[in-house]
């Protein structure tokens, strides 16, 4: 019964983590480029009261034995990088990646982070930056006299200038992808950092060699399904209640055992 108390407690802790993950998903349902997370669980070690295959007589063995589990643990909280819906905005600096890949962003300290949120703007120097003012690699500067900006599916940025009929190319946005997107470290502000689990960043050209293509005037919505998350929340809540019921039942059994002498 003491074992039951601790096993049920691990179940409550696991479902508490599950609710935390689901709540964060729902909180970011309208966050551009957000990728939902999923909590994954594993059973804990087992106590073998009788080993499977132990002899039951001189000629026979037990086919299953007695194995008592000790609960559950959170094995991982994984980011799911499925494609979010593309919504049109008409803003010439809004970009959505359709397919695999990230935009590379340079932080003030010179380190790189990566994002799928393509709601970019221009700073005081005409550079394409994130809403926080971080420069989007490779650091393209739009001329101050530009009348319009055109971004091709391969990330080529062109501008239209006065007295010039033909668009002028000013550079190309850097495309980055990873062997394991799920291994990236989410650091907030819709940014991800490279880790050993993600593998090193591989740079390339959008719309080529497996990289996604850029859609100008669109943003990628969160891939969170409200209905799915609400169903998951109800399931987690019921599992939490069931684990708490296990603690209550084990406590009642202990109380009855203690009071046997009465």
């Amino acid at each position: 019964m003491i074992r039951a108390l601790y096993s049920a407690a691990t179940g409550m802790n696991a479902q508490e983590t599950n609710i935390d993950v689901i709540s964060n998903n729902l909180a970011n349902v309208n966050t551009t480029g957000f990728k939902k997370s999923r909590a994954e669980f594993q059973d804990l070690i087992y106590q073998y009261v009788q080993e499977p295959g132990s002899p039951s007589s001189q000629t026979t063995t037990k086919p299953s034995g007695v194995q008592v589990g000790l609960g559950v643990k959170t094995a991982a909280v994984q980011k799911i990088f499925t494609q979010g819906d593309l919504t049109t905005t008409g803003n010439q600096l809004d970009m959505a990646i359709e397919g695999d890949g990230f935009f590379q962003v340079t932080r003030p300290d010179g380190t790189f982070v990566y994002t799928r949120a393509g709601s970019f703007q221009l700073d005081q120097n005409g550079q394409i930056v994130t809403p926080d003012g971080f420069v989007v690699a490779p650091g393209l500067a739009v001329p101050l006299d530009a009348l319009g900006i055109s971004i091709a599916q391969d990330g080529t940025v062109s501008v239209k200038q006065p007295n010039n009929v033909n668009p002028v190319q000013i550079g190309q946005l850097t495309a980055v992808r990873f062997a394991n997107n799920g291994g990236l470290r989410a650091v907030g502000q819709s940014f991800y950092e490279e880790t050993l689990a993600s593998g090193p960043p591989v740079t390339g050209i959008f719309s080529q060699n497996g990289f996604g293509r850029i859609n100008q005037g669109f943003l990628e919505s969160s891939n969170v399904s409200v209905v799915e998350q609400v169903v998951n929340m109800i399931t987690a809540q019921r599992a939490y209640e069931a684990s708490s019921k296990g603690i209550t039942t084990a406590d009642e059994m202990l109380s009855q055992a203690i009071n046997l002498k009465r």
Side-chain angles (χ1 to χ4, degrees):
M1 286 178 284
I2 296 297
R3 183 166 49 201
L5 285 171
Y6 286 107
S7 296
T10 64
M12 294 180 70
N13 288 332
Q15 293 309 319
E16 184 177 350
T17 300
N18 199 12
I19 289 293
D20 290 341
V21 173
I22 294 169
S23 298
N24 184 61
N25 289 340
L26 289 172
N28 286 281
V29 69
N30 289 322
T31 301
T32 301
F34 178 80
K35 300 304 178 185
K36 64 184 177 182
S37 299
R38 181 182 66 204
E40 299 177 350
F41 305 101
Q42 292 178 346
D43 50 351
L44 290 174
I45 62 174
Y46 286 76
Q47 289 185 340
Y48 297 97
V49 180
Q50 288 186 347
E51 283 282 351
S54 59
S56 57
S57 70
Q58 290 184 345
T59 58
T60 59
T61 59
K62 292 184 179 294
S64 58
V66 179
Q67 308 173 60
V68 182
L70 298 180
V72 64
K73 70 174 182 179
T74 304
V77 176
Q78 181 183 4
K79 280 283 185 183
I80 308 298
F81 281 85
T82 55
Q83 180 76 49
D85 294 335
L86 304 188
T87 57
T88 180
T89 65
N91 188 333
Q92 62 183 359
L93 285 175
D94 284 344
M95 308 174 214
I97 301 174
E98 185 180 0
D100 191 18
F102 295 85
F103 296 106
Q104 183 173 275
V105 176
T106 306
R107 289 189 287 199
D109 61 1
T111 59
F112 293 124
V113 287
Y114 309 92
T115 185
R116 297 271 303 186
S119 52
F120 301 135
Q121 303 172 30
L122 296 180
D123 66 5
Q124 70 275 14
N125 299 315
Q127 288 185 304
I128 299 176
V129 297
T130 68
D132 295 300
F134 299 165
V135 177
V136 180
L140 305 180
V142 177
L144 298 179
D145 61 350
L147 302 177
I149 303 172
S150 176
I151 303 167
Q153 292 185 343
D154 64 356
T156 300
V157 181
S158 304
V159 297
K160 183 178 180 181
Q161 294 178 293
N163 303 320
N164 195 338
V165 178
N166 298 318
V168 178
Q169 291 187 10
I170 62 172
Q172 191 168 39
L173 296 172
T174 302
V176 178
R177 66 180 178 184
F178 296 87
N180 174 27
N181 289 340
L184 292 168
R185 179 188 295 113
V187 295
Q189 298 174 288
S190 298
F191 293 148
Y192 299 93
E193 289 180 341
E194 167 195 355
T195 68
L196 289 175
S198 69
V202 178
T203 59
I205 299 174
F206 286 109
S207 77
Q208 296 183 18
N209 301 321
F211 286 91
R213 62 183 182 181
I214 289 181
N215 292 274
Q216 184 182 16
F218 288 81
L219 288 176
E220 182 184 9
S221 301
S222 164
N223 66 351
V224 175
S225 166
V226 175
V227 174
E228 176 191 20
Q229 296 302 312
V230 170
V231 170
N232 290 344
M233 180 173 287
I234 293 172
T235 303
Q237 181 181 3
R238 296 309 179 202
Y240 187 91
E241 292 175 356
S243 293
S244 66
K245 184 63 175 177
I247 291 178
T248 302
T249 302
D251 177 56
E252 291 175 351
M253 294 171 67
L254 282 171
S255 177
Q256 291 176 12
I258 292 171
N259 294 324
L260 279 177
K261 188 175 181 181
R262 298 180 183 178

